[in-house]
Amino acid sequence: MVVSSKPILENSSHIKTCKPHVSDDHFSIDIPVIDMLDPQAKFHITKACQEFGFFKVVNHDVPKETITKLEGEAVKFFNLPQCEKDKAGPANPFGYGNKRIGTNGDVGWIEYLLFSTNSELISEKSVNIPGNSHLFWCAVNEYVSGVRNIACLVLEMIAEGLKIEPKNVLSKLLRDQKSDSCFRLNHYRPCTQLEALSGGRNLIGFGEHTDPQVISVLRSNNTTGLQICLKDGTWVSVPPDHYSFFIIVGDSLQVMTNGRFWSVRHRVLANSLKSRLSMIYFGGPPLSAKIAPLSSLMEAGEESLYEEFTWGEYKKSAYLTRLGDNRLGLFEKKIKIRQYGHNLLI
């Protein structure tokens, strides 16, 4: 078991705060690495979710062949002529998209495929994939099955680490047949004119944001670019590891733990030399599921920090905002406290 409880920053005398662009001297960090076979993993996961909202898992049981098979199919698709890729789009919201992210003006140096993982929708009929689409969809389904299992196992370890019952109180949301989960393949082409295009600043591949769902499972090839924002506002680079998975706490899990866990802001910067391919499973609950702090977790007298809402309500609200907006802000309660004889709202 290897776990780093504190961030180690390079060039710490030049710490930067969250800004749309930073110069090339951004920092690396030693993030928590969780061995899924470690008997103490549930406690290390809980600590990582509280401190970072982000960690890497190893010994995860997803075969390398499953990973390489899907990466090969994804590379074949993204290497197609543009006119062929366009047949799988436009993304609305599922399908192929290029540079445009969502419908509210966000753009990035990216092209992507987005699918629902609902069993009725993730099929050869859902998006038109040119070529041997049967091989493509077989690879997608095999991979999604594997990462969904990782997400559910992590959520069950979280329940055990927090001592909440039942053990599947979180994972059942993802295993539900009506689970509103989705899967995304992101491709960031090399930006050979990066400096000229961005005036010497880093070009954004995918802008800073939090994930609105419960939990995300991310994997990429060996190209750098992913960054997370620490609680003090420092952006740090995440070293890639193409056979491990990174777990990201989502907004919904932050609410369900009443702020004990932290939905981490993250982004991807473009690379001037190499392409980056990432695969992300977003574990979401059914649209009708109520998102609120778990009663079995709340201590005596503890107040909820958030208004209760359904996943469908939050999803609708989230997709009306820009990527970098504080989506949870609309659902935070104004808590009344008494200080020096006056009622204050915070």
Side-chain angles (χ1 to χ4, degrees):
M1 164 68 197
V2 181
V3 59
S4 303
S5 59
K6 295 182 180 180
I8 299 175
L9 303 178
E10 297 175 355
N11 303 322
S12 56
S13 61
H14 302 289
I15 289 177
K16 299 183 184 298
T17 55
C18 297
K19 294 179 181 179
H21 297 276
V22 295
S23 61
D24 286 335
D25 58 341
H26 45 261
F27 315 109
S28 295
I29 185 176
D30 286 340
I31 63 167
V33 180
I34 311 297
D35 184 340
M36 297 295 280
L37 300 180
D38 188 328
Q40 300 299 309
K42 58 188 176 183
F43 302 115
H44 298 304
I45 287 174
T46 301
K47 184 177 181 181
C49 289
Q50 292 170 334
E51 295 186 358
F52 291 89
F54 184 91
F55 56 93
K56 180 166 75 172
V57 296
V58 297
N59 288 326
H60 46 67
D61 277 347
V62 177
K64 289 183 179 180
E65 294 76 15
T66 299
I67 296 171
T68 56
K69 188 190 303 181
L70 179 56
E71 179 168 324
E73 290 297 321
V75 167
K76 280 195 290 186
F77 174 83
F78 289 120
N79 282 342
L80 288 172
Q82 190 62 50
C83 61
E84 290 295 305
K85 290 184 287 190
D86 287 340
K87 293 177 181 178
N92 186 33
F94 303 118
Y96 172 75
N98 187 14
K99 294 189 174 68
R100 183 180 176 186
I101 304 169
T103 59
N104 301 303
D106 290 296
V107 294
W109 190 258
I110 185 176
E111 58 179 342
Y112 65 89
L113 283 168
L114 179 64
F115 316 113
S116 168
T117 62
N118 184 301
S119 58
E120 299 173 0
L121 295 177
I122 190 162
S123 68
E124 296 181 32
K125 296 180 181 179
S126 60
V127 176
N128 178 29
I129 301 296
N132 192 335
S133 62
H134 179 70
L135 286 178
F136 179 90
W137 289 113
C138 284
V140 168
N141 279 295
E142 182 181 332
Y143 182 90
V144 168
S145 176
V147 293
R148 183 193 290 117
N149 286 338
I150 292 177
C152 290
L153 180 57
V154 166
L155 291 174
E156 288 169 5
M157 287 184 170
I158 285 172
E160 289 185 304
L162 293 174
K163 299 180 180 178
I164 52 179
E165 296 286 349
K167 176 182 175 180
N168 70 340
V169 65
L170 297 169
S171 62
K172 68 181 181 181
L173 298 172
L174 275 57
R175 296 196 188 279
D176 193 298
Q177 283 192 335
K178 295 183 178 179
S179 165
D180 186 45
S181 300
C182 58
F183 180 64
R184 189 176 185 116
L185 292 167
N186 287 339
H187 180 232
Y188 305 90
R189 288 166 290 196
C191 185
T192 54
Q193 297 177 320
L194 191 147
E195 277 202 27
L197 288 170
S198 58
R201 300 174 297 178
N202 282 315
L203 184 68
I204 297 297
F206 202 111
E208 66 174 91
H209 63 287
T210 59
D211 293 343
Q213 292 87 354
V214 177
I215 195 170
S216 305
V217 183
L218 179 149
R219 177 264 166 198
S220 74
N221 62 0
N222 261 340
T223 302
T224 58
L226 177 64
Q227 295 186 332
I228 61 172
C229 190
L230 304 182
K231 289 183 178 181
D232 67 359
T234 305
W235 281 104
V236 294
S237 296
V238 178
D241 183 340
H242 62 301
Y243 286 129
S244 298
F245 293 97
F246 294 94
I247 306 298
I248 301 171
V249 171
D251 295 346
S252 297
L253 189 54
Q254 177 173 315
V255 172
M256 296 175 82
T257 59
N258 206 33
R260 289 168 174 79
F261 289 0
W262 186 51
S263 180
V264 65
R265 300 184 76 79
H266 50 287
R267 67 184 181 188
V268 175
L269 302 182
N271 190 293
S272 61
L273 300 175
K274 298 190 295 183
S275 65
R276 174 180 168 87
L277 181 71
S278 61
M279 312 167 178
I280 313 99
Y281 168 77
F282 300 95
L287 292 171
S288 60
K290 290 185 178 180
I291 307 298
L294 297 168
S295 58
S296 57
L297 184 61
M298 301 287 278
E299 298 176 356
E302 182 178 352
E303 291 191 51
S304 171
L305 301 177
Y306 307 94
E307 303 288 350
E308 185 177 287
F309 51 86
T310 66
W311 165 241
E313 290 168 340
Y314 187 58
K315 179 181 178 180
K316 181 178 179 180
S317 171
Y319 284 87
L320 289 174
T321 63
R322 298 290 298 268
L323 274 178
D325 290 346
N326 176 18
R327 296 159 169 169
L328 275 180
L330 297 174
F331 297 88
E332 292 173 352
K333 279 186 177 179
K334 295 208 180 320
I335 300 175
K336 186 182 291 187
I337 63 171
R338 190 158 183 82
Q339 188 175 27
Y340 307 119
H342 300 284
N343 287 327
L344 303 175
L345 292 178
I346 61 172

